[in-house]
Amino acid sequence: MALEDYHKKRNFEETSEPSGKEKASGKKLRFVVQRHAATRLHYDFRLEMDGVLKSWAVPKGPSMNPADKRLAMMVEDHPYDYRTFEGSIPEVNYGAGEVEIWDEGTYEPIEKVKGKTDDLVMRAELHQNSLKFILHGKKLKGEFALVKIKNPKDDNAWLLIKHKDDFAVSEEYDAENHTSKNSKVTAYLNKKESKKKTPPPKA
Ligand code: MN
């Protein structure tokens, strides 16, 4: 049920993205941030919950600076297997472009509820449109909040905000500066850019 939209948007005979189904969570919930060069470069922030990856597209990418409130547009649930997906999505297909993992790890709710699994706690918070969690990633660490904007023009608009803690930074944070120099997505973008600059051959 939860993956209906995901399946509808994709042709699995063309794209190498996983066609996966819901999967039971392990002991620890996982998260992934994928850097995705599609029509526009953006970051996809995904939290495992309820056997799928709840997903938000973050145009500017996440920030470790609590002063930033990063717009995060909620998109369709992705299968749990998507957390390891990297590679090309062929032209014409939904999300066509290049995807790479920018950060990954486990996460947990800030507030634990006795007798409830982390998954159940997060699902309840999602229902309340306000998620508060701790990320254990390589780049993203510590407390974060993801809250739905009240009375937005767009019903899917949320904000991703770093909480003040020992991991928070006070200087400007640009996710692009924390991207590997060997990034395939960057190589893809550079190639696209140089194609644009090359004038078409004269007939
Ligand atoms: Mn995307």
Side-chain angles (χ1 to χ4, degrees):
M1 280 292 278
L3 293 173
E4 245 174 54
D5 283 350
Y6 175 85
H7 287 132
K8 249 187 259 168
K9 288 180 176 184
R10 290 170 177 80
N11 176 357
F12 293 104
E13 297 193 347
E14 292 196 6
T15 182
S16 57
E17 294 165 285
S19 64
K21 300 186 174 84
E22 289 89 0
K23 261 194 194 163
S25 312
K27 263 190 190 155
K28 287 192 170 170
L29 297 171
R30 303 204 64 90
F31 84 95
V32 66
V33 181
Q34 279 148 325
R35 187 163 169 258
H36 183 187
T39 312
R40 285 199 181 87
L41 177 69
H42 62 274
Y43 290 71
D44 289 303
F45 185 80
R46 310 191 197 279
L47 296 174
E48 175 197 353
M49 215 183 292
D50 205 6
V52 296
L53 300 175
K54 296 290 170 188
S55 299
W56 290 261
V58 186
K60 286 188 175 175
S63 174
M64 290 296 288
N65 185 332
D68 293 326
K69 291 178 173 64
R70 294 287 161 90
L71 180 67
M73 300 302 294
M74 197 172 195
V75 298
E76 78 274 17
D77 293 350
H78 280 51
Y80 180 65
D81 287 345
Y82 208 95
R83 79 196 191 286
T84 57
F85 176 73
E86 289 191 298
S88 307
I89 301 172
E91 274 179 46
V92 189
N93 286 270
Y94 182 71
E98 192 76 24
V99 177
E100 71 191 357
I101 294 169
W102 183 82
D103 197 19
E104 62 187 321
T106 61
Y107 86 97
E108 60 185 310
I110 293 174
E111 291 204 23
K112 302 280 185 175
V113 180
K114 220 180 161 189
K116 272 194 179 180
T117 62
D118 287 354
D119 187 61
L120 277 172
V121 173
M122 292 314 300
R123 281 157 68 179
E125 290 192 9
L126 181 70
H127 195 70
Q128 303 288 327
N129 296 327
S130 172
L131 304 166
K132 292 185 171 61
F133 48 86
I134 303 164
L135 296 179
H136 304 284
K138 295 181 192 91
K139 293 169 185 163
L140 301 179
K141 293 177 198 284
E143 295 187 9
F144 285 81
L146 192 52
V147 289
K148 193 169 181 182
I149 299 174
K150 276 179 195 147
N151 308 316
K153 280 194 199 122
D154 192 315
D155 196 38
N156 298 319
W158 294 60
L159 293 172
L160 178 64
I161 306 159
K162 176 81 190 86
H163 279 176
K164 282 179 188 153
D165 61 14
D166 290 347
F167 297 107
V169 301
S170 51
E171 62 270 23
E172 202 178 301
Y173 190 96
D174 183 348
E176 288 293 288
N177 297 335
H178 298 266
T179 297
S180 160
K181 286 203 171 70
N182 305 317
S183 157
K184 282 190 179 166
V185 166
T186 304
Y188 168 88
L189 287 169
N190 290 340
K191 207 173 140 193
K192 215 167 122 182
E193 194 56 38
S194 70
K195 262 190 200 164
K196 252 194 259 168
K197 278 179 191 152
T198 315
K202 279 176 190 152

